Amino acid sequence: MYRVFVSRALRAKSLCDKSSTSLASLTLSRLNHSIPFATVDAEELSGAHPAEVQSFVQGKWIGSSNHNTLLDPLNGEPFIKVAEVDESGTQPFVDSLSQCPKHGLHNPFKSPERYLLYGDISTKAAHMLALPKVADFFARLIQRVAPKSYQQAAGEVFVTRKFLENFCGDQVRFLARSFAIPGNHLGQQSHGYRWPYGPVTIVTPFNFPLEIPLLQLMGALYMGNKPLLKVDSKVSIVMEQMMRLLHYCGLPAEDVDFINSDGKTMNKILLEANPRMTLFTGSSRVAEKLALDLKGRIRLEDAGFDWKVLGPDVQEVDYVAWQCDQDAYACSGQKCSAQSMLFVHENWSKTPLVSKLKELAERRKLEDLTIGPVLTFTTEAMLEHMENLLQIPGSKLLFGGKELKNHSIPSIYGALEPTAVYVPIEEILKDSKTYELVTKEIFGPFQIVTEYKKDQLPLVLEALERMHAHLTAAVVSNDPIFLQEVIGNSVNGTTYAGLRGRTTGAPQNHWFGPAGDPRGAGIGTPEAIKLVWSCHREVIYDYGPVPQGWELPPST
């Protein structure tokens, strides 16, 4: 199972048969010496060395008598106590948000030096994440609460650092760039400005414990807002430690509040504090509820049943198979961009594509976390879904479909081999009930595979049109006519096109977000930050002079 990585000094002390208390003291002292902001040891975090997560409000870290004890997703040991705010403790968070004016903590006319402050904070935070020991700390911490391979966890830290590097120096104030238009007469000009919302809230999921909350949090701060951040309690320890890093790098203590709570308590805060804007990343069901509760003052990056279409031009089969495996099963399929459905042109069926997919899936091991716990679906729920799919005429199990062997993952989580089920495209489209079953998102190592013939592209496009979520997609083809046809008849906001097309990957260098919904949110780029975290304000200057000889005109 998961091996606790211990330092050489700690192993040496262990060999000297010192007590566990002295070992913990040594580790903590070394940790504090080497990583000045950290209050936990990612390598020691376990049932024997549990951690506690706090909330932060009005410039202070606070605990709670109400604890949510988390089970280690790899062995079921209680290993983190999250001090969750309950409904009786919401008032400080409501008050803190309410104290922020609608015009924000800064804007182009107010405290513009804060744009420079956040450029400096980004510089310092990026430098910290560039330190190998700090990057490793966060990668290991991510692995402990959202088990994924070290490469995947380290990649999340890398993207976060590159994002911060992108907004160093003057880059934050460039986000607030304005424009001017000549007026109708001398002395008149109209100026467009990017304006903050003021008090805002951010709610993010478990699957990217650092990247999603940090990128959205910094975007909100750059534009002059005061955010209240809530991360899924299962993984909030990661962002709690990142908050401490940001404070170490100069983040003003009053600029951000951080809460651990259940959904009901957070919903109470949202209704009472009345934030001007909320960013929600998570399930479609919760997204739609919040959209109603908040009267539309929301941006969403909700569920993604993401598809990939393999075009008629077959080439680089090994590479395409590898990318399909990565898209479907990296992070155990727990990415909102994970490949949920693969449309295979009949030309690819003449290649060993599926057998290669099976071989690649079978390489994944719990020991290195290339496959691991599923945190939102149980094993039984995933297997039941598979059995329901196998009742569809012509469907068959391509590979997987079994519980992981020799694991100690607690039963509240899922433990499933990478799984693929084939369903004929004609059956997928036969009726709405079947279509809804096939396109149900399983946030785990699970995908649907189907095949289409050269004259069945309209069926593929019909299947794409009927989908409800439009986050990522891939069209794997270098045929420009085919690309034009598929891209021109689909919607997904982040679409990769070409031989190396993928569905996963949310780097800092391009927009990542859904399309087709006016509430859709983006992440990572200047365009995404401006769209999500600011609104347009127009100021029309009209200084005069009044025309010489002006006379009072008739009433109109």
Side-chain angles (χ1 to χ4, degrees):
M1 250 26 67
Y2 184 83
R3 188 180 54 155
V4 177
F5 297 87
V6 291
S7 67
R8 291 180 180 176
L10 191 56
R11 287 199 299 267
K13 295 293 286 181
S14 175
L15 291 173
C16 294
D17 198 28
K18 298 292 185 181
S19 69
S20 60
T21 301
S22 63
L23 288 174
S25 300
L26 171 66
T27 304
L28 188 57
S29 65
R30 292 181 70 255
L31 177 68
N32 290 338
H33 175 70
S34 60
I35 304 180
F37 62 85
T39 59
V40 300
D41 187 331
E43 297 180 350
E44 281 293 295
L45 183 58
S46 63
H49 301 283
E52 182 169 339
V53 184
Q54 296 180 311
S55 296
F56 189 83
V57 65
Q58 297 175 330
K60 297 179 181 178
W61 289 103
I62 63 169
S64 172
S65 58
N66 179 41
H67 283 92
N68 178 8
T69 300
L70 305 180
L71 301 184
D72 188 324
L74 288 164
N75 59 32
E77 291 182 353
F79 78 138
I80 297 175
K81 288 185 177 181
V82 182
E84 290 194 337
V85 175
D86 59 23
E87 293 187 55
S88 66
T90 59
Q91 198 58 45
F93 295 91
V94 173
D95 292 344
S96 184
L97 277 180
S98 301
Q99 289 164 8
C100 178
K102 295 177 185 177
H103 52 262
L105 300 178
H106 62 263
N107 61 53
F109 287 74
K110 171 188 172 182
S111 303
E113 65 277 4
R114 282 173 52 87
Y115 292 113
L116 303 182
L117 170 67
Y118 275 98
D120 291 343
I121 293 169
S122 295
T123 300
K124 294 172 184 175
H127 171 73
M128 289 295 289
L129 287 182
L131 298 175
K133 61 189 176 185
V134 176
D136 182 71
F137 167 78
F138 278 108
R140 298 293 187 194
L141 194 57
I142 289 168
Q143 281 191 295
R144 292 302 287 119
V145 293
K148 57 183 80 172
S149 71
Y150 186 82
Q151 291 79 7
Q152 289 285 322
E156 184 176 343
V157 179
F158 175 80
V159 168
T160 302
R161 171 169 67 86
K162 299 304 289 185
F163 167 84
L164 290 167
E165 290 174 354
N166 285 348
F167 294 98
C168 295
D170 290 321
Q171 296 305 314
V172 174
R173 66 167 146 198
F174 290 162
L175 290 170
R177 188 190 304 271
S178 60
F179 63 85
I181 303 294
N184 293 331
H185 50 257
L186 184 63
Q188 186 186 75
Q189 279 189 340
S190 59
H191 288 244
Y193 298 96
R194 298 311 301 177
W195 215 255
Y197 291 104
V200 300
T201 48
I202 303 168
V203 182
T204 63
F206 74 91
N207 55 333
F208 286 89
L210 179 65
E211 182 182 343
I212 294 176
L214 190 280
L215 268 60
Q216 294 292 11
L217 175 68
M218 297 308 290
L221 289 166
Y222 293 157
M223 299 311 295
N225 302 289
K226 173 169 181 163
L228 167 60
L229 172 64
K230 181 196 180 316
V231 181
D232 189 319
S233 291
K234 289 192 290 292
V235 300
S236 61
I237 190 172
V238 177
M239 202 58 203
E240 186 222 40
Q241 295 298 299
M242 188 67 200
M243 283 281 293
R244 296 179 188 274
L245 181 151
L246 292 173
H247 290 151
Y248 181 77
C249 293
L251 173 71
E254 296 77 16
D255 280 15
V256 181
D257 295 328
F258 174 75
I259 189 170
N260 296 293
S261 72
D262 60 19
K264 185 179 179 182
T265 299
M266 187 63 190
N267 199 76
K268 180 176 185 285
I269 293 174
L270 292 174
L271 294 177
E272 292 182 2
N274 195 30
R276 305 301 298 171
M277 216 290 290
T278 293
L279 179 282
F280 176 79
T281 305
S283 76
S284 295
R285 179 184 60 81
V286 176
E288 294 300 333
K289 178 190 186 307
L290 289 177
L292 291 174
D293 288 347
L294 300 174
K295 299 180 173 62
R297 293 190 303 273
I298 194 167
R299 288 282 184 178
L300 304 175
E301 199 242 283
D302 55 353
F305 187 87
D306 307 299
W307 49 264
K308 179 182 288 182
V309 176
L310 305 187
D313 48 324
V314 176
Q315 50 191 313
E316 302 290 351
V317 176
D318 286 341
Y319 179 87
V320 171
W322 170 81
Q323 187 63 68
C324 286
D325 173 76
Q326 284 292 105
D327 286 342
Y329 303 126
C331 298
S332 302
Q334 295 171 103
K335 296 184 180 183
C336 50
S337 56
Q339 176 180 301
S340 301
M341 181 175 283
L342 179 64
F343 295 89
V344 180
H345 189 279
E346 61 180 335
N347 291 351
W348 287 88
S349 299
K350 302 169 187 174
T351 73
L353 175 72
V354 172
S355 62
K356 288 181 180 293
L357 285 175
K358 182 175 183 292
E359 292 170 7
L360 290 166
E362 290 172 348
R363 295 194 310 172
R364 296 185 172 274
K365 305 186 299 291
L366 186 57
E367 288 76 12
D368 60 8
L369 296 178
T370 49
I371 192 69
V374 176
L375 301 189
T376 55
F377 279 85
T378 64
T379 306
E380 291 73 18
M382 290 186 285
L383 291 176
E384 180 183 3
H385 180 65
M386 180 189 74
E387 291 300 330
N388 290 336
L389 289 169
L390 293 176
Q391 301 303 310
I392 299 172
S395 65
K396 59 184 177 181
L397 179 66
L398 296 178
F399 52 83
K402 297 177 183 177
E403 184 172 354
L404 293 176
K405 298 176 181 178
N406 302 319
H407 73 83
S408 54
I409 295 169
S411 59
I412 58 171
Y413 300 134
L416 187 71
E417 294 178 353
T419 298
V421 174
Y422 172 83
V423 183
I425 192 166
E426 299 88 351
E427 294 295 330
I428 292 173
L429 297 169
K430 179 175 281 187
D431 56 64
S432 59
K433 185 177 180 180
T434 302
Y435 183 83
E436 289 175 7
L437 173 63
V438 172
T439 57
K440 177 181 178 180
E441 184 182 20
I442 300 296
F443 213 55
F446 199 103
Q447 67 170 322
I448 303 296
V449 179
T450 191
E451 181 185 321
Y452 69 101
K453 301 185 184 305
K454 63 180 181 179
D455 60 348
Q456 289 184 312
L457 183 58
L459 296 182
V460 174
L461 298 177
E462 180 186 347
L464 306 185
E465 176 68 18
R466 288 168 62 176
M467 290 182 187
H468 300 296
H470 307 292
L471 182 54
T472 70
V475 189
V476 181
S477 174
N478 283 346
D479 180 340
I481 302 301
F482 183 82
L483 290 174
Q484 181 174 282
E485 181 74 9
V486 178
I487 295 172
N489 288 278
S490 57
V491 178
N492 296 42
T494 306
T495 300
Y496 294 88
L499 174 64
R500 299 184 66 177
R502 54 183 178 163
T503 66
T504 59
Q508 73 295 335
N509 62 302
H510 67 65
W511 165 278
F512 184 87
D517 187 335
R519 306 166 302 177
I523 190 171
T525 63
E527 293 77 18
I529 291 171
K530 287 183 279 189
L531 173 76
V532 174
W533 294 116
S534 68
C535 57
H536 181 86
R537 185 182 188 186
E538 195 85 1
V539 177
I540 299 90
Y541 294 96
D542 207 343
Y543 298 115
V546 175
Q548 190 173 3
W550 181 87
E551 295 180 357
L552 184 68
S555 299
T556 60

